[in-house]
Amino acid sequence: MTSTSHDPVQLLRDRFISAMRAALGPDCPPDPDPLIGPARNPKFGDYQSNAAMPLGKALGRPPREIAQQIVDHLDLAGIALPPDDSTIAGPGFINIRLAPDAYAGLLDALDTPDLGVEKPAAPETIVVDLCGVNLAKQMHVGHLRATVIGDALARIFERLGHRVIRQNHVGDWGLPIAMVTAHVADLARRGTIDLDKLTLDDLDTAYRAAQRDCSPDRRGLEAVRRYDLGPKAEAELEEQVAGAEEALERAKQTLIRLQSHDGATVAMWQRIADVTMSACHAICRRLHANVPPESAAGESTYRDELAGVVDDLVNRGLAVESDGALVIDLKDAGIAEPLLIRKSDGGFLYATTDLAGIRRRVQKLGADRCVYAVDARQGLHFKQAFAGAIKAGYARKPDGSDARLEHAAFGTVLGEDNKPFKTRSGENVKLSDLLDEAVVRAGEQIKEKNPDLPADEQRKVAEAVGISAIKYADLSSDRVRDYVFSFDRMLMFEGDTGPYLLYALVRIRSIFRNAAEQFGVTESDIDARRPGFALDAPEERALALALLQYPGVLESTAEALEPHRLCTYLRTLAEEFSRFFQQCPVLKAPDEATRGARLRLCRLTGKVLGDGLTTLGLIPVERM
RNA sequence: GCGCGCGUAGCUCAAUUGGAUAGAGCACCUGACUACGGAUCAGGAGGUUGGGGGUUCGACUCCCUCCGCGCGUACCA
């Protein structure tokens, strides 16, 4: 497999594979992996191969001997310095230092419109489950993660040239939704609310009221009777229980009417859906998360498929009865807990819907890969649903293989007290309030640090910085871990934060504003003339090495479904740029050639940084 | 009970998936042509990677065991 890549890792990989084949002959594995990566420590070189040690183990020979053999057959012409005494080190590391004149060529090759990211040979269709709002409920921090992480993953796939289909699996069906529908209908009938001016706040309140009204306090009633707390308390609770049972019954009737497409009931439900979804889409737009209306694929859209799914599973003997319910046994997949697909009362469960969801994604949407950005607490559920879907053949692709089904699980957002992020009274924090506060705080800092910014730009910048800060805080640590939500930390303008990354880009923009003023040179001039890279200073070479890693980082981020890798990379890139910027004068460079070379380096850094930030879903600005 | 996840510097987090002397940021200390945006940079200090055992050339990473925290464990989604 030859590569036309300009990514040094790929180039070195090809050279190493040839060398390994030549050096080891029949001992060489059929698909040798040279294990090339950026050098762990710059003092050893720029890149390293770790292939000799595992080979030594496999062949039962000293790894250094194997390393020597590989090096003897290694042709590094045009890429790296020829091997010397320090090439093989330690137990058998092979260290590579790029040839000084290779840097410029590699960077020049990277400086294409797609920044070295090659179109995939076979683009995949990847369905990303994200956002997952519920009808009649405010979005909160949980939705923040599902939206921000899901959108970032989707953007990364898109950036790599895959076909991405976003699915907002809206919780818009079932008894809880029927409860709130019935409740809102009641309120409307009594004239307590105005349907024309219905807000999500109204619905959120109604949702909780409906939940309460439909939960009979039987334990309370028992307790009152057991401890004989008096006829008054007993009567109150009896009334509560009776009322709740009645409300629950009405909700069930409402659900039946919904299922049978009763006009007035459906209209009420639709009104609730419209209000919820327009609020959801407004928040997503504000978050710069691409969750368009057409990505909505609520549970309701599966309602007519569920009976078919269950019949199918029963007919094929995959689902069996157990205690009156229907289950799929998954012991052969190593899962003790069976997957419930129908309740003993005949109702379907969310697993049923998710099976139908997988079937639709793979069979109808053509998914090669289904990614679910969903809370880690759903781990067992997805393990079961995936195993069940595979067992049922719902994940089978036309070529006979199974689509990849992956749960991009994320941890809980915690408050400063290390407990799940809630208000003091134990309520979920509204996502919109959270965004507001981040923006206000960002605005205060911007006003202080850059008072000359016109007021309207200040507002725009504060919005971008505040939102980016929240998103970066959510994306920058390992997905599955819980993290503590702290405005103070995420909005620091230094350190590992969104604002710091935005700032690095702002400095580059500023250089070009000055370059235009002082020398009449613009970014598009640099793009057109493409002045040669110089890369004499160590800071320039370090920055160049960082830039060259970009395509590889995007790949590994997509493979692992871990946006924090891209975050870490961008922060390192920003740091390398700051070092370069500190050490190497650009506009005050000693001569015109150096100035041009450094402007070109700034330009390319700006492109990669800007591209990376956008790919994560952050919002770059010109000034801040 | 069983299962899953987590435990790394005072704090918040990384570690190319088994590689070299475990790295960053905050906070702390010392410096930087009086600043191409200092919202920066250079340096210092800070560690028995929860404990113990094992696997091997090599372990934060894999296996066993114990401790602590969180979550999940069939008719809610």
Side-chain angles (χ1 to χ4, degrees), chain A residues 204-485:
Chain A
D204 199 74
T205 309
Y207 185 94
R208 279 175 294 176
Q211 286 287 320
R212 194 185 53 237
D213 290 354
C214 291
S215 315
D217 190 2
R218 293 213 179 79
R219 290 175 66 182
L221 183 57
E222 269 176 41
V224 166
R225 285 177 177 156
R226 186 175 327 135
Y227 301 112
D228 197 19
L229 296 181
K232 192 176 166 208
E234 185 172 347
E236 274 173 11
L237 276 159
E238 272 169 0
E239 192 184 340
Q240 195 279 339
V241 167
E245 276 163 357
E246 193 197 322
L248 197 57
E249 186 49 40
R250 276 207 309 280
K252 284 180 180 167
Q253 293 304 318
T254 303
L255 181 59
I256 290 168
R257 282 201 301 279
L258 273 175
Q259 284 165 340
S260 56
H261 305 275
D262 170 72
T265 314
V266 170
M268 179 62 66
W269 172 85
Q270 190 64 52
R271 179 79 189 118
I272 294 171
D274 290 346
V275 170
T276 307
M277 293 315 288
S278 68
C280 168
H281 294 135
I283 286 207
C284 288
R285 275 195 304 278
R286 193 174 179 202
L287 270 173
H288 277 240
N290 188 7
V291 184
E294 56 270 26
S295 66
E299 292 170 344
S300 63
T301 66
Y302 294 98
R303 63 176 178 258
D304 298 329
E305 298 175 25
L306 300 184
V309 166
V310 169
D311 286 348
D312 179 45
L313 293 168
V314 170
N315 290 340
R316 292 195 286 142
L318 291 166
V320 294
E321 206 196 297
S322 168
D323 292 339
L326 276 176
V327 305
I328 302 179
D329 185 279
L330 297 171
K331 289 199 193 69
D332 52 355
I335 303 170
E337 296 87 344
L339 180 62
L340 257 82
I341 57 166
R342 199 180 69 193
K343 298 193 280 182
S344 49
D345 69 0
F348 303 120
L349 294 110
Y350 71 144
T352 329
T353 310
D354 277 326
L355 285 179
I358 294 169
R359 189 173 72 165
R360 181 189 291 175
R361 284 160 204 231
V362 180
Q363 308 303 329
K364 259 189 147 149
L365 304 177
D368 298 294
R369 195 174 179 188
C370 300
V371 173
Y372 290 80
V374 178
D375 195 305
R377 283 171 294 194
Q378 306 277 343
L380 176 60
H381 165 68
F382 279 113
K383 218 170 118 185
Q384 291 176 288
F386 293 165
I390 286 169
K391 202 167 168 175
Y394 293 163
R396 189 78 41 83
K397 297 195 284 178
D399 69 5
S401 66
D402 284 323
R404 290 169 73 180
L405 307 175
E406 296 167 290
H407 179 198
F410 54 78
T412 306
V413 181
L414 306 175
E416 311 262 10
D417 57 358
N418 267 314
K419 288 194 290 208
F421 193 66
K422 296 274 167 73
T423 61
R424 225 166 287 169
S425 54
E427 305 273 303
N428 277 328
V429 181
K430 277 169 64 175
L431 186 46
S432 56
D433 291 347
L434 227 49
L435 301 186
D436 287 343
E437 180 156 0
V439 168
V440 167
R441 288 186 183 224
E444 284 165 2
Q445 293 199 61
I446 289 157
K447 194 167 182 180
E448 183 191 321
K449 305 206 176 190
N450 198 348
D452 298 336
L453 222 51
D456 59 334
E457 189 174 352
Q458 231 174 70
R459 264 196 307 280
K460 271 179 62 184
V461 169
E463 179 78 16
V465 171
I467 300 291
S468 296
I470 285 192
K471 295 181 82 171
Y472 187 80
D474 202 272
L475 291 168
S476 59
S477 66
D478 192 354
R479 228 184 39 225
V480 302
R481 295 178 56 134
D482 298 347
Y483 78 93
V484 176
F485 192 95

Side-chain angles (χ1 to χ4, degrees), chain A residues 5-201:
Chain A
S5 173
H6 32 260
D7 180 350
V9 172
Q10 289 303 324
L11 294 170
L12 289 169
R13 210 184 132 77
D14 292 343
R15 304 285 182 108
F16 265 82
I17 289 175
S18 304
M20 287 163 77
R21 292 222 165 95
L24 300 171
D27 285 344
C28 189
D31 191 16
D33 187 352
L35 299 172
I36 309 280
R40 180 73 112 155
N41 185 328
K43 84 176 183 199
F44 294 122
D46 299 330
Y47 293 89
Q48 66 184 61
S49 160
N50 299 338
M53 284 85 77
L55 276 173
K57 188 172 290 187
L59 302 178
R61 290 168 48 200
R64 280 191 73 110
E65 192 183 303
I66 292 177
Q68 187 60 55
Q69 267 182 299
I70 296 173
V71 168
D72 287 344
H73 290 82
L74 194 56
D75 172 19
L76 293 173
I79 304 176
L81 297 176
D84 60 21
D85 291 349
S86 67
T87 297
I88 299 175
F93 297 104
I94 303 174
N95 294 316
I96 302 297
R97 207 172 280 282
L98 292 185
D101 53 352
Y103 280 98
L106 289 166
L107 278 187
D108 195 63
L110 182 77
D111 192 4
T112 59
D114 58 11
L115 298 171
V117 177
E118 292 171 49
K119 296 275 169 289
E124 294 190 304
T125 296
I126 307 178
V127 177
V128 178
D129 189 290
L130 76 178
C131 188
V133 286
N134 301 300
L135 244 51
K137 283 168 95 171
Q138 294 280 5
M139 290 177 81
H140 58 261
V141 277
H143 299 113
L144 173 73
R145 301 214 76 186
T147 303
V148 168
I149 293 170
D151 180 55
L153 291 172
R155 283 168 184 262
I156 292 162
F157 298 140
E158 283 165 347
R159 180 64 183 81
L160 288 170
H162 297 293
R163 173 170 174 253
V164 171
I165 302 174
R166 292 145 195 266
Q167 294 277 281
N168 185 0
H169 193 84
V170 182
D172 64 356
W173 205 244
L175 192 57
I177 304 301
M179 287 192 221
V180 70
T181 305
H183 190 83
V184 173
D186 269 356
L187 295 177
R189 206 173 305 118
R190 284 189 236 136
T192 317
I193 52 165
D194 182 349
L195 281 182
D196 293 330
K197 293 181 193 157
L198 200 59
T199 66
L200 187 51
D201 269 326

